Amino acid sequence: MFSLYVPAGFAATELIVSVEKLEDRTASFTFEDVINMPFQPARQVLAEGYRSPVYWLRVKVAPSPDGTDGVMLVRPTILDKVTLFQPAEAEAGAWAVHPASGAYIPEAQVWPSTHRTFRLPASPSEVEYYLRVESVGAIAAHISVLPLVDARLLSTQINITQLIYLAFMLFVMLWAVRMAFVTQEGLYWLFAITLVVFIIHNIQFFGYLAIIIPPDFREIFASLFRTNVFLASIVSVIFHKAVLMRYRPAWFALRLFDVMMIGMIVSMLLFWAGFGSFALQLNAIFVAIAPFVFLLNAFTARREASPGLVTMRVIYALLSGAVLLWVTALLGLSNVGGTALYGAMFHGLVTALLMFVILHLHGRNLINNALTARIAMAEMEQRRDTEREQALILEQFINMLTHETRNAMAVVNMSVSAPSFGERQRQRVSDAIAALDGIVERCSEAIRLDRKTHSIKSEVCNVGMLLQTLCDTNPQSARLVMTGEGACIVKSDPLLLEVVFHNLIDNALKYAKDDTPINIRYGSDQNACMIYFENAVGAASMPDPARVFEKYYRHPKAKNQIGSGLGLYIVDGLLRLLGGEVFYRSSAETVEFRVSLPC
């Protein structure tokens, strides 16, 4: 385990003059044994790994500049026992032990703190103290002696740093949970679980849980902390295997993750069986193998996966280097800069940052792919709706054509089957054939309208003359009553206007009350030419205003008349092409269509 590294600027009033160490491999030395033994020079940071379960430190402390008491801070809190031996104030040559048990007791601290603190009485000269440091895990400790005020400040600064770190880890964990819901990918759940285990481990490591743990449960708490060390290692291996297997590394490289996982599980079982130090050291060895397993998997991978092979290799190269620095310090093999002092924070922070980068890039690709898929799905749905609509229109067209053809053929058959084929029967046959011909012509016109194949030729048109010609040539011209004011000149396509007016006249004649006149009038102002087609309501009644220009729409009462339901649809479509409009209105006795054309 590690202590939190604090830059030298925090300890400007450091009172430690020198530190010496003595290794106790058998954990059997008493204070009386070591007081006369030779010590070796050491630093304030003790990083010895698993070489011995106990180290003795001889610390020489200078008097405080302001003559106040000093405070010795020993980090991290999670060390099993730290016992201070200090000169007894009442008896020369005697030594006092504080605390006697050596365990971390929050109530015994100089102030409520997550750090081990020992009050050192003010002294006019240098004083030697002895510390006995014991731990089942790796021994790493940071010793500092400061005046009381500075010690409080340092403790506060450490706590702020730790809380900021925990807040960042919590943020990344919540991000992973959110991404798991957004992408529905299990990789983000694994990352979130890994971070939860790391956060719990760090909270234990920083001593925040120790403050609220009842005295009777502190031994259990220490065991749970070290159990969490194994869990953090196992969960981390599972997560990194899940990340790297997406890139299809060599099979033997991927199997190494399984070997590590089995080894870590065995280490945890050995710890529960009572082989504490050996189990932790064995687990640390498997963690030390991890950087090489990462690199082997990263550089034997051959499959492109999000966020890309190159990006993955760069990130895992950085992660492997960081883990290697951490684990060598854990084993006491190195102490590069402050690496050993960052401890669990260092490993958790580097892992969270680098994995956040790779998963953020991966998540961005997943979201982009999902968006592309949704767009493609929407286009498919739109095409399907279009095809469904076209199929429905085709079905309506076939039904309409079948129905009207049968009506026409029925008229023809009835006429030719009559006992005598007179002028009346001949006229009925002629009307039926003309109606069928009109249906065919309107179908062709509707197809051209839908396909937008009309070629518009803009010419100067006299609307009055065009209407007069249509009325004069209509077989029922006697019913058409036309009135107009002014020349009503427009610039438009005369052929398409003729189709529009012809359909409106034909519609009025077909559905007006028998033998009633069809009133056609026109007029113009500076902006538009207005043409009105009005007829009395016939047996077919009035059409639905909301559907009157709808393709194939016919009023149910109009079914006894041969028709296609395309006339007014064509009128509306052609006028839109010509820049005009058509409006429908009705009263109790009349129906009127008004055409507006730009002058």
Side-chain angles (χ1 to χ4, degrees):
M1 62 198 66
F2 295 87
S3 59
L4 175 68
Y5 173 69
V6 181
F10 283 121
T13 54
E14 180 63 65
L15 303 180
I16 291 180
V17 176
S18 65
V19 179
E20 296 174 300
K21 67 180 179 180
L22 174 65
E23 187 177 357
D24 185 357
R25 289 184 177 274
T26 61
S28 60
F29 294 169
T30 65
F31 177 68
E32 289 74 17
D33 293 332
V34 304
I35 195 168
N36 295 315
M37 287 184 177
F39 280 67
Q40 297 176 343
R43 298 188 301 172
Q44 287 178 236
V45 178
L46 186 69
E48 300 297 333
Y50 293 91
R51 281 197 291 268
S52 293
V54 175
Y55 275 84
W56 291 82
L57 300 178
R58 184 159 60 199
V59 183
K60 186 177 289 187
V61 178
S64 177
D66 57 5
T68 59
D69 291 351
V71 175
M72 179 181 289
L73 282 82
V74 182
R75 305 188 300 277
T77 305
I78 205 66
L79 288 166
D80 292 336
K81 291 184 179 181
V82 179
T83 307
L84 175 67
F85 298 84
Q86 62 187 74
E89 296 183 43
E91 185 181 350
W95 293 83
V97 181
H98 179 78
S101 66
Y104 171 69
I105 305 174
E107 308 88 75
Q109 303 310 300
V110 178
W111 65 86
S113 173
T114 58
H115 307 122
R116 295 177 187 268
T117 56
F118 303 97
R119 184 184 291 271
L120 307 182
S123 174
S125 59
E126 294 180 355
V127 179
E128 279 189 347
Y129 297 89
Y130 286 85
L131 276 176
R132 184 181 184 274
V133 180
E134 179 179 352
S135 180
V136 173
I139 288 186
H142 184 208
I143 316 300
S144 184
V145 179
L146 303 169
L148 181 59
V149 174
D150 292 347
R152 282 179 176 273
L153 176 62
L154 176 61
S155 180
T156 301
Q157 290 169 328
I158 292 172
N159 280 316
I160 291 173
T161 304
Q162 292 173 167
L163 291 173
I164 291 173
Y165 162 79
L166 289 173
F168 170 77
M169 295 288 283
L170 182 62
F171 165 77
V172 178
M173 186 271 290
L174 293 175
W175 171 86
V177 171
R178 176 182 174 274
M179 289 299 293
F181 280 110
V182 171
T183 64
Q184 295 296 307
E185 185 163 343
L187 193 61
Y188 290 96
W189 284 118
L190 274 178
F191 186 43
I193 292 169
T194 303
L195 289 171
V196 167
V197 175
F198 273 36
I199 290 170
I200 293 173
H201 175 269
N202 292 148
I203 290 173
Q204 292 173 315
F205 183 82
F206 297 151
Y208 295 133
L209 288 182
I211 296 175
I212 60 174
I213 296 294
D216 295 340
F217 293 94
R218 283 173 187 156
E219 289 295 329
I220 298 175
F221 168 76
S223 297
L224 289 176
F225 167 73
R226 294 201 167 88
T227 298
N228 200 35
V229 170
F230 295 106
L231 289 177
S233 303
I234 294 168
V235 171
S236 183
V237 168
I238 294 172
F239 167 69
H240 287 295
K241 179 184 178 183
V243 172
L244 288 166
M245 69 188 300
R246 296 166 47 252
Y247 297 89
R248 294 280 178 85
W251 66 270
F252 62 88
L254 204 58
R255 295 287 78 78
L256 290 175
F257 279 113
D258 300 328
V259 173
M260 290 170 57
M261 198 184 314
I262 293 170
M264 290 170 177
I265 293 172
V266 170
S267 300
M268 185 167 62
L269 294 175
L270 288 172
F271 177 80
W272 289 345
F275 302 95
S277 182
F278 173 73
L280 288 166
Q281 188 168 1
L282 182 61
N283 185 73
I285 291 171
F286 283 111
V287 174
I289 297 171
F292 304 102
V293 175
F294 291 163
L295 291 174
L296 186 61
N297 277 271
F299 286 92
T300 59
R302 291 294 177 267
R303 176 186 175 187
E304 276 291 344
S306 176
L309 271 174
V310 174
T311 302
M312 179 272 292
R313 286 169 178 165
V314 169
I315 288 176
Y316 267 96
L318 294 172
L319 178 62
S320 299
V323 174
L324 194 60
L325 284 175
W326 168 54
V327 79
T328 52
L330 179 67
L331 294 170
L333 302 176
S334 69
N335 186 10
V336 181
T339 304
L341 304 176
Y342 281 105
M345 279 183 67
F346 179 76
H347 180 225
L349 186 63
V350 170
T351 301
L353 275 173
L354 293 178
M355 289 302 99
F356 172 78
V357 170
I358 196 170
L359 290 180
H360 171 71
L361 296 173
H362 174 55
R364 188 177 63 182
N365 291 340
L366 284 177
I367 292 171
N368 289 339
N369 292 340
L371 182 60
T372 302
R374 280 199 296 271
I375 292 172
M377 183 66 71
E379 291 175 349
M380 288 178 61
E381 288 287 339
Q382 187 175 7
R383 283 198 299 270
R384 189 173 69 179
D385 291 343
T386 302
E387 290 170 358
R388 188 184 294 118
E389 183 180 353
Q390 289 174 344
L392 180 61
I393 291 172
L394 181 61
E395 182 182 0
Q396 290 176 327
F397 171 73
I398 293 172
N399 290 338
M400 177 273 299
L401 197 60
T402 301
H403 178 267
E404 300 308 327
T405 302
R406 284 175 177 171
N407 283 346
M409 294 306 297
V411 171
V412 173
N413 184 57
M414 184 175 62
S415 298
V416 299
S417 299
S420 61
F421 192 76
E423 186 62 30
R424 179 177 174 80
Q425 284 78 10
R426 189 178 294 108
Q427 185 62 44
R428 291 179 65 182
V429 170
S430 177
D431 291 345
I433 293 173
L436 277 178
D437 184 61
I439 289 173
V440 172
E441 180 59 35
R442 287 188 179 91
C443 289
S444 300
E445 190 65 46
I447 290 171
R448 288 194 295 271
L449 189 63
D450 290 340
R451 292 183 176 178
K452 300 179 181 179
T453 57
H454 285 94
S455 178
I456 299 174
K457 297 178 181 179
S458 184
E459 300 177 9
V460 175
C461 303
N462 188 318
V463 171
M465 292 181 63
L466 183 58
L467 285 169
Q468 189 64 57
T469 301
L470 288 172
C471 290
D472 292 342
T473 57
N474 193 285
Q476 301 186 57
S477 58
R479 292 179 63 187
L480 303 177
V481 179
M482 192 177 74
T483 57
E485 297 179 1
C488 201
I489 304 298
V490 298
K491 194 171 184 181
S492 187
D493 189 314
L495 293 178
L496 296 184
L497 281 182
E498 184 178 336
V499 173
V500 169
F501 296 152
H502 176 76
N503 276 299
L504 287 168
I505 292 171
D506 184 64
N507 184 76
L509 287 168
K510 186 181 295 183
Y511 299 114
K513 184 182 291 187
D514 294 342
D515 301 325
T516 58
I518 308 301
N519 296 311
I520 303 171
R521 65 183 189 278
Y522 63 86
S524 64
D525 55 25
Q526 294 180 347
N527 299 316
C529 176
M530 300 293 183
I531 306 99
Y532 301 85
F533 299 82
E534 184 185 56
N535 62 271
V537 178
S541 188
M542 291 179 290
D544 183 353
R547 302 185 62 192
V548 66
F549 299 111
E550 184 180 309
K551 194 174 185 180
Y552 301 125
Y553 168 72
R554 300 186 73 198
H555 193 280
K557 293 182 179 180
K559 299 295 185 180
N560 60 347
Q561 292 276 0
I562 297 176
S564 62
L566 293 172
L568 295 177
Y569 169 76
I570 292 170
V571 168
D572 183 58
L574 290 180
L575 284 172
R576 289 177 188 274
L577 287 177
L578 297 173
E581 291 180 283
V582 59
F583 304 93
Y584 163 76
R585 72 175 182 177
S586 61
S587 64
E589 298 180 354
T590 61
V591 170
E592 180 185 85
F593 289 90
R594 174 168 58 90
V595 173
S596 172
L597 292 170
C599 290

